[in-house]
Amino acid sequence: MRELYSIPGCRIERVTRRSPAGTVIVVRPESSGARCPSCKASSDTPHSTYVRRPADLPAAGRSVQLQLHVRRFFCRNTKCARRTFAERLPGLLAPRARRTRRLATAQRAVGMTAGAEAGARLLPPLAMPTSPDTLLRLMHRAPLPALPTPRVLGVDDWALRKGRTYGSILVDLEAHRVVDLLPDRSASTVAAWLRHHPGVELITRDRSTEYARAATLGAPGAQQVADRWHLLLNVRQMVDRWLTGTHARLRALPEVVPGAESSSGRRHASFPRTRSEEHAGEESRARRVATYEEVRRLHRAGEPLLRISRTLRLARATVRKYARAEAFPERAVRVPGPSILDPFLEYLERRHAAGCENALVLWREIRARGFGGTSRQVHRWLQTRRTAPAGSTPLTRRGNAPNPSTPRPTGSLPSPKQLAWLCVQPQSALLPTEAATLARLEQDAEAARVVALARRFCEMVRERGVTRGAKPTSSCATFEQWLAEARTCGVRAVETFAQGLEHEGDAVRAALTTCWSNAQAEGQITKLKFLKRQMYGRVLMVTRKRGNLVMAERGP
């Protein structure tokens, strides 16, 4: 039995069967004496004996419980505060533990692999049952391994509670593993970590000024690399800010007819609104106009944007948009998305051309062809195509029937956010209608300069042509030319963006001439979010164990 099931520091006296699935092993310590845990003096004078019943690793698929007879000894040191003490078995059992060290190690390994909830469901068939909370405690108590300081480090922030509590994640980009999780995203915390871990040669980060300052303070000799995805994001945000202020002026530009229609089988305008919807829309617009005028008045009076935001109880982004707008920013016309009516539009157009203007009849016909919607959608589609009022239309409203020959109002323009997205897309990826929208914008001289500069910057970032170990290409020279043009283009938003790039020019140039980016850190954050969602909203503390992210229960 000793060869098959050894117990460190103990001898087995007998084995009994507790239940069909459990076994009890009676053991006693082999030593004749013990040392006092306080004064370390040896003693072989027994005082008494008591029994501990810890769980141990299973044997032959059966759970095992030890019946350990532990002795108490007199302490012979007269200066020691202890009169008696219990012998300890550090190789087998921790003080006051209900499971052996080797069982706790096995349960912790299952928890690290499967998680607390899944691990607790997996352990009973393995004859090592325990609760999810116990697995969380075991994982939280596991010591952190000593990892080497990474040479290439990725730094990014992650949200423990979005909008409230943020931390920092540090990733070894060469080893593809998490190095550490920091409790906040301040420059002092990240710089302190870097000072305690010298040897970092390259740091990738987003364009946060906190992380830039932390890298400068904690690792002044390390090369900083700005993340390319964030550079593309920032140029889109810059175009969005400029378009927000000039959107009213650009809406007056004449439309450009695209060379080909790519989506002729879909609607290109929303259904007409009812009278109540139009009235509600007019009231909403009047309130927004009044708010816009008040923001402009306070801004012209010299009030800071933050104070205006607090006074009027508006979001800072809304106050900034109103303050920078040359005219009241109208809401963009919503382009309808895909509809379940789209596959049947061709049939409806044919039937309407044949003279059918009965919406219920049309609805029944397309329902027989597989349409799963209601008749209201057909009614709204037919509303703008009627040549005469419907028979159910009240006499008082028959004079207000829409005239299909009346041309629909033109001049609609996508929202600034949608336009900014089109400006940073490769030209080869644009649809004919999207290319026509950009051509309409470029009729304005200032808009043409902004779109050209944004497009050139995106191409420069995407087509840098740098691979691992390759020499720097002409990207830096192209960047310097672009920077010189952007600083003198006469558009304030572009000039401000160029000044920010020039301020951290070394990090931007490194992004254009090296292969490193923050993509791995973003991937680890995605994994971290998955771990958070596994706990179904419980309060968590996510920690790093052996280079992996694990969950742990957060204390009160």
Side-chain angles (χ1 to χ4, degrees), residues 216-254:
T216 303
L217 296 176
Q223 181 184 16
Q224 300 184 35
V225 180
D227 185 54
R228 289 183 289 276
W229 182 87
H230 284 88
L231 290 174
L232 296 176
L233 172 67
N234 295 148
V235 71
R236 184 187 63 80
Q237 291 172 337
M238 177 271 295
V239 177
D240 188 4
R241 288 194 300 270
W242 178 81
L243 287 169
T244 299
T246 59
H247 196 260
R249 186 185 78 214
L250 299 176
R251 267 202 314 272
L253 296 172

Side-chain angles (χ1 to χ4, degrees), residues 16 24 74 88 96 105 115 144 174 182 193 205 226 251-252 292 311 316 387 399 501 527 539:
T16 60
V24 176
F74 286 102
R88 298 188 177 184
R96 295 178 292 278
T105 301
L144 289 175
E174 291 183 316
L182 305 182
W193 190 94
R205 55 170 179 82
R251 267 202 314 272
Y292 166 75
T311 302
R316 281 180 288 180
T387 57
L501 294 179
K527 180 181 178 181
V539 180

Side-chain angles (χ1 to χ4, degrees), residues 409-484:
T410 59
S412 62
L413 195 66
S415 67
K417 184 173 293 185
Q418 294 170 334
L419 289 174
W421 177 253
L422 295 180
C423 291
V424 299
Q425 293 297 306
Q427 287 183 297
S428 59
L430 295 177
L431 299 175
T433 53
E434 297 171 343
T437 301
L438 284 184
R440 178 184 175 186
L441 286 184
E442 291 172 349
Q443 295 177 97
D444 183 88
E446 186 177 349
R449 291 198 301 273
V450 174
V451 173
L453 287 170
R455 186 176 294 158
R456 282 177 52 197
F457 183 83
C458 293
E459 292 175 355
M460 179 174 55
V461 174
R462 292 192 185 103
E463 301 174 1
R464 68 194 190 284
V466 176
T467 57
R468 185 182 296 271
K471 295 182 179 180
T473 64
S474 60
S475 299
C476 285
T478 306
F479 173 66
E480 297 299 338
Q481 296 173 4
W482 183 92
L483 205 59

Side-chain angles (χ1 to χ4, degrees), residues 171-179 468 516 520 524 547-548:
V171 181
D172 187 343
L173 300 184
E174 291 183 316
H176 300 270
R177 65 184 178 191
V178 177
V179 177
R468 185 182 296 271
W516 301 107
Q520 283 191 50
Q524 294 290 353
N548 296 318

Side-chain angles (χ1 to χ4, degrees), residues 151 201 337 465 551:
R151 189 183 68 87
E201 299 179 6
M551 300 169 295

Side-chain angles (χ1 to χ4, degrees), residues 65-83:
Q65 184 184 56
L66 301 182
Q67 184 174 318
L68 178 61
H69 292 265
V70 182
R71 297 166 293 179
R72 296 191 67 87
F73 291 91
F74 286 102
C75 183
R76 293 304 184 183
N77 186 359
T78 57
K79 298 181 180 180
C80 182
R82 291 177 181 265
R83 299 296 301 276

